[in-house]
Amino acid sequence: AQTVTQSQPEMSVQEAETVTLSCTYDTSESDYYLFWYKQPPSRQMILVIRQEAYKQQNATENRFSVNFQKAAKSFSLKISDSQLGDAAMYFCAYRSPVSYGNKLVFGAGTILRVKS
Amino acid sequence: SQTIHQWPATLVQPVGSPLSLECTVEGTSNPNLYWYRQAAGRGLQLLFYSVGIGQISSEVPQNLSASRPQDRQFILSSKKLLLSDSGFYLCAWRQAGELFFGEGSRLTVL
């Protein structure tokens, strides 16, 4: 079974600076999908960014980008020019393209604190 | 547009009491639906998922059950709650490979 590991329970970043959240996963599949979700305090979880494993180019969404290292099974999230609104719990997730029900497997999450 | 709602948002229940959390999706048909539980330090654990009416798959053995009586309705239940059932429960549905989550239900079992 696939597993997702987020080794940083908590991270802090100064406003306007850059922070990187780590994620590693374990799988024997060659094709899959990876996601970063953001859960602000008392608000709904939303998708930040997604990456298809067959794409070599790293995904980017405005200030959010990923460093996808397929051989190392690493999928880190970089947040540039951090803003107070970025403070949230961030979850890394994995989805197999062949899993029945298209289930997502999530990591334990990383709490990101942004200091002004 | 599609929306997802779950309720109640907050629930405090005594040990041994029943539970019913409801989730409904609007604006789509035949969605894949999911119940996740979020416990401190343990991330999101998939509890149940459903690919259609009456079709329920359980991921982990536990004190909970799920039902899908209608296409866009997904219910999480328990006959007798345990202390360990406390947590934050999230309903989600899938579209184009992405999960969309409800607002969550915080359950405290005392």
Side-chain angles (χ1 to χ4, degrees):
Chain A
Q2 295 87 8
T3 58
V4 177
T5 303
Q6 293 179 248
S7 59
Q8 306 155 316
E10 194 170 321
M11 292 283 285
S12 293
V13 63
Q14 200 69 34
E15 199 175 3
E17 294 188 347
T18 296
V19 64
T20 298
L21 307 183
S22 301
C23 173
T24 58
Y25 56 93
D26 185 27
T27 183
S28 59
E29 298 176 320
S30 60
D31 191 20
Y32 45 86
Y33 302 87
L34 297 165
F35 307 83
W36 277 100
Y37 277 84
K38 170 185 177 182
Q39 185 182 37
S42 303
R43 296 180 67 180
Q44 275 176 283
M45 183 130 52
I46 57 173
L47 178 69
V48 175
I49 200 165
R50 63 184 287 176
Q51 174 84 39
E52 290 86 352
Y54 65 85
K55 291 185 178 179
Q56 294 185 342
Q57 187 174 9
N58 289 325
T60 62
E61 282 289 338
N62 301 315
R63 298 182 295 105
F64 298 86
S65 62
V66 299
N67 183 6
F68 174 47
Q69 300 291 326
K70 191 172 184 179
K73 296 180 183 175
S74 171
F75 183 60
S76 60
L77 175 69
K78 185 172 82 171
I79 306 174
S80 304
D81 186 25
S82 296
Q83 301 174 0
L84 294 177
D86 295 332
M89 173 86 89
Y90 287 82
F91 291 97
C92 178
Y94 173 103
R95 181 169 72 84
S96 165
V98 299
S99 70
Y100 177 70
N102 288 279
K103 300 168 288 183
L104 262 69
V105 177
F106 286 84
T110 297
I111 297 173
L112 177 65
R113 304 190 192 280
V114 181
K115 302 176 184 177
S116 59
Chain B
S1 64
Q2 299 90 352
T3 57
I4 180 168
H5 300 286
Q6 62 176 108
W7 68 92
T10 305
L11 197 59
V12 180
Q13 292 284 102
V15 169
S17 64
L19 170 73
S20 180
L21 299 179
E22 189 164 339
C23 172
T24 59
V25 180
E26 298 175 0
T28 187
S29 59
N30 197 32
N32 280 12
L33 297 172
Y34 309 83
W35 275 112
Y36 282 89
R37 177 168 59 199
Q38 184 177 2
R42 296 184 61 183
L44 285 165
Q45 181 186 34
L46 179 61
L47 303 176
F48 300 95
Y49 63 97
S50 172
V51 300
I53 296 175
Q55 300 179 61
I56 307 295
S57 298
S58 175
E59 282 293 291
V60 293
Q62 59 208 312
N63 185 44
L64 302 168
S65 62
S67 61
R68 186 167 176 177
Q70 300 180 43
D71 181 44
R72 290 172 289 174
Q73 184 184 30
F74 202 23
I75 298 172
L76 184 68
S77 305
S78 174
K79 292 182 179 178
K80 290 184 178 181
L81 284 169
L82 305 172
L83 288 174
S84 57
D85 292 325
S86 294
F88 191 59
Y89 291 82
L90 286 161
C91 179
W93 70 284
R94 188 185 69 85
Q95 181 188 40
E98 179 181 341
L99 280 189
F100 293 87
F101 288 86
E103 306 94 332
S105 299
R106 185 164 301 283
L107 171 66
T108 302
V109 183
L110 302 176

